[in-house]
Amino acid sequence: MTQAVTVWRASALTLFPEMFPGPLGMSLAGKALAAGAWSLDVVDIRGFATDKHRSVDDTPAGGGPGMVMKADVLARAIDATAADTRPRLLMSPRGTPLTQARVAALTAGAGVVLICGRFEGIDERVIAARGLEELSVGDYVLSGGEIAAMALIDACVRLIPGVMGKADSSAEESFAEGLLEYPQYTRPQLFEGRPIPDVLISGDHGKIAAWRRAEAEKLTRERRPDLWAKRRPAP
Ligand SMILES: C[S@@+](CC[C@H](N)C(=O)[O-])C[C@H]1O[C@@H](n2cnc3c(N)ncnc32)[C@H](O)[C@@H]1O
């Protein structure tokens, strides 16, 4: 009996479904999507509004600026989409910062259900009622969760086996070993009086690896003392 192949699946719940696939339809992610290496379904939250104005938001309880996305509408959208074991992730500036380790863990699973907030955010009660985990893509505020969701999907999709060619391996990338990546160069040998470092054209692979490691450590120490403090020494 042939078994159905299940591909990594991303579901995005949004008030702006036309924003997808956007950049995810291009380049590496787009080719992989077209080849069926992953799948994307986009759910229009407004489709779950029931009043005649199809309202998805209302004024904040207690007053204040802006609007809040309604719990009942969003809960119906989630219930119609996420009847499986995939993590339900609410894109949120107050969430846990997304890391490469988390991206790798999410890629190893069945996929993700991503909820894109708008306005002042979503009614707190739906977060608890539907077991949403809040994830942030950085300490700044976007106007909506769609770009954050696309960033997460893009980071995951490129780690799906076979999506990146061997030539683009993620093994030596920034964060792979808790370090930033070493500097990269390509031809021409001399650019505006700046040569490629001699070691990189020496052909000595041992020396090249040692130089790259030292540069990666130096950059991490200088630019990201937080990462440097957390890194485990190489075995
Ligand atoms: C204008 S923001 C709401 C900001 C919210 N009032 C606050 O101060 O935390 C609207 C939506 O954008 C998304 N968003 C904004 N910044 C984000 C970030 N750094 N990471 C992930 N999602 C973000 C969230 O889905 C959020 O609900």
Side-chain angles (χ1 to χ4, degrees), residues 109 112 180 202:
V112 286
L180 301 180
S202 67

Side-chain angles (χ1 to χ4, degrees), residues 90-101:
L90 170 64
M91 308 320 297
S92 162
R94 60 179 207 185
T96 309
L98 183 64
T99 62
Q100 187 65 14

Side-chain angles (χ1 to χ4, degrees), residues 91-93 116-121 135-138 140-145 148:
M91 308 320 297
S92 162
C116 306
R118 280 274 157 179
F119 319 123
E120 289 308 316
L135 270 187
S136 166
V137 293
Y140 44 83
V141 180
L142 298 165
S143 45

Side-chain angles (χ1 to χ4, degrees), residues 85-144:
T85 57
R86 288 176 297 159
R88 301 163 171 196
L89 307 172
L90 170 64
M91 308 320 297
S92 162
R94 60 179 207 185
T96 309
L98 183 64
T99 62
Q100 187 65 14
R102 186 69 201 281
V103 164
L106 290 172
T107 309
V112 286
V113 177
L114 303 176
I115 292 114
C116 306
R118 280 274 157 179
F119 319 123
E120 289 308 316
I122 75 173
D123 187 314
E124 189 71 24
R125 293 168 295 177
V126 76
I127 300 175
R130 292 299 179 271
L132 307 183
E133 178 191 347
E134 296 182 60
L135 270 187
S136 166
V137 293
D139 290 347
Y140 44 83
V141 180
L142 298 165
S143 45

